[in-house]
Amino acid sequence: MKNDRLKIGLLIIGDEVLSGKRQDKHLAQATSLLQPRGLSLSWVKIVGDEPDFLVKTLQESFATDTVVFSFGGIGATPDDRTRQSAAAALGVSIERHPEAVAEIEAQFGKEAYPQRIHMAEYPKGAEIIPNFYNRVPGFSIHNHHFMPGFPMMAKPMMEWVLNHYYSEYYQSPTIEKGIKIFNGQESEWVEFMEQFEEQFPQLRLFSLPSILADETRTIDLGVEGLEVDVLQGYQVIIKEANSRNASWKPL
């Protein structure tokens, strides 16, 4: 296990997501795979299929050390431009990957040609990601991992990538604990939160205020981290709430 934590980003690609025609499921699905491994996301971006913007977005992420999981746009239709955009962002050519060709031919036979075979065309230097659903692979290059936009395909592919490339970065899974405070103002807790973060720098403190339909105000106040630290910090939060005679319940 490595001590340095991975920076991980999600790139969700597709005009249909931006337009609201399709609701994203990749964020929740990715989180469900990362959290048990003690990993977490640094950012998420949703972009359309417009080539110039997609190339620019990929150029920016390729220039970092972030591990990026990309979903969508690797099909064979004209509006699928992720493969070509990744190649343009890296300044390399597109070429057919022999392993991907073999997988697609094995799945579709003669029907792999003339269109489906284009899904075996990746930026030069890419490696395949096995697709356990229909054998049409995704591809990996420069810490970026490109998968289909279909969640049922993407989930086992992302899991394979995590286990194949990043298992040495796995950490103990984190937990969250917190309380819901009723009829409180978030501003009243700022000084406490600042002191808490100084006392527990290893924990992530969160505060989420809400206004209910009946105008009742609530604050979800809690912490995320390793269990032993969270339990200690959680008791400090409860002690503070009780000292203020605040009305609260566990989250």
Side-chain angles (χ1 to χ4, degrees):
M1 182 179 71
K2 289 192 175 183
N3 291 326
D4 49 328
R5 295 187 66 85
L6 284 179
K7 294 179 181 178
I8 301 174
L10 292 191
L11 187 58
I12 300 164
I13 301 171
D15 291 340
E16 67 279 4
V17 182
L18 283 179
S19 68
K21 292 178 181 178
R22 179 173 292 174
Q23 298 300 309
D24 172 64
K25 296 181 180 179
H26 293 292
L27 174 55
Q29 191 165 266
T31 300
S32 73
L33 292 174
L34 295 173
Q35 190 171 20
R37 294 167 168 82
L39 305 175
S40 60
L41 290 171
S42 298
W43 55 261
V44 179
K45 295 181 181 179
I46 300 177
V47 300
D49 295 300
E50 198 279 311
D52 290 342
F53 187 78
L54 189 50
V55 169
K56 181 180 178 182
T57 300
L58 287 167
Q59 285 174 331
E60 291 172 353
S61 62
F62 278 130
T64 71
D65 59 357
T66 303
V67 173
V68 175
F69 293 93
S70 174
F71 305 100
I74 63 171
T77 57
D79 59 334
D80 289 316
R81 302 183 177 100
T82 302
R83 294 176 290 106
Q84 300 89 332
S85 296
L90 290 169
V92 300
S93 60
I94 282 274
E95 59 181 30
R96 287 188 181 175
H97 193 290
E99 291 179 69
V101 169
E103 285 290 290
I104 293 172
E105 288 180 340
Q107 177 69 4
F108 299 106
K110 293 181 179 180
E111 293 183 1
Y113 296 87
Q115 297 302 327
R116 288 187 174 100
I117 201 64
H118 289 304
M119 293 186 288
E121 296 169 355
Y122 306 147
K124 184 177 182 179
E127 298 180 3
I128 71 166
I129 302 172
N131 184 334
F132 306 96
Y133 188 89
N134 68 356
R135 299 188 70 173
V136 179
F139 65 95
S140 298
I141 190 167
H142 287 226
N143 281 347
H144 283 51
H145 308 282
F146 296 87
M147 289 158 283
F150 298 102
M152 79 287 287
M153 298 183 191
K155 184 175 183 179
M157 294 172 77
M158 180 175 175
E159 187 168 25
W160 182 88
V161 169
L162 287 169
N163 292 337
H164 190 72
Y165 290 110
Y166 303 111
S167 61
E168 62 185 319
Y169 290 92
Y170 291 175
Q171 307 284 333
S172 298
T174 60
I175 65 168
E176 283 188 5
K177 286 187 74 69
I179 63 175
K180 183 180 291 291
I181 303 166
F182 297 95
N183 299 313
Q185 298 285 340
E186 193 177 29
S187 59
E188 299 169 350
W189 290 83
V190 171
E191 185 176 351
F192 166 76
M193 289 190 284
E194 291 173 344
Q195 294 171 352
F196 186 95
E197 288 190 329
E198 289 182 5
Q199 184 179 357
F200 297 99
Q202 73 276 30
L203 293 175
R204 181 186 69 85
L205 180 69
F206 62 86
S207 173
L208 180 63
S210 299
I211 303 177
L212 307 182
D214 62 359
E215 299 299 319
T216 299
R217 293 178 178 268
T218 66
I219 307 168
D220 290 354
L221 184 63
V223 287
E224 179 192 7
L226 296 179
E227 183 174 10
V228 62
D229 299 319
V230 165
L231 294 178
Q232 185 180 359
Y234 179 61
Q235 291 303 317
V236 170
I237 291 174
I238 291 175
K239 182 178 179 180
E240 181 67 20
N242 288 337
S243 72
R244 297 176 180 223
N245 294 318
S247 174
W248 63 272
K249 69 176 184 179
L251 290 174

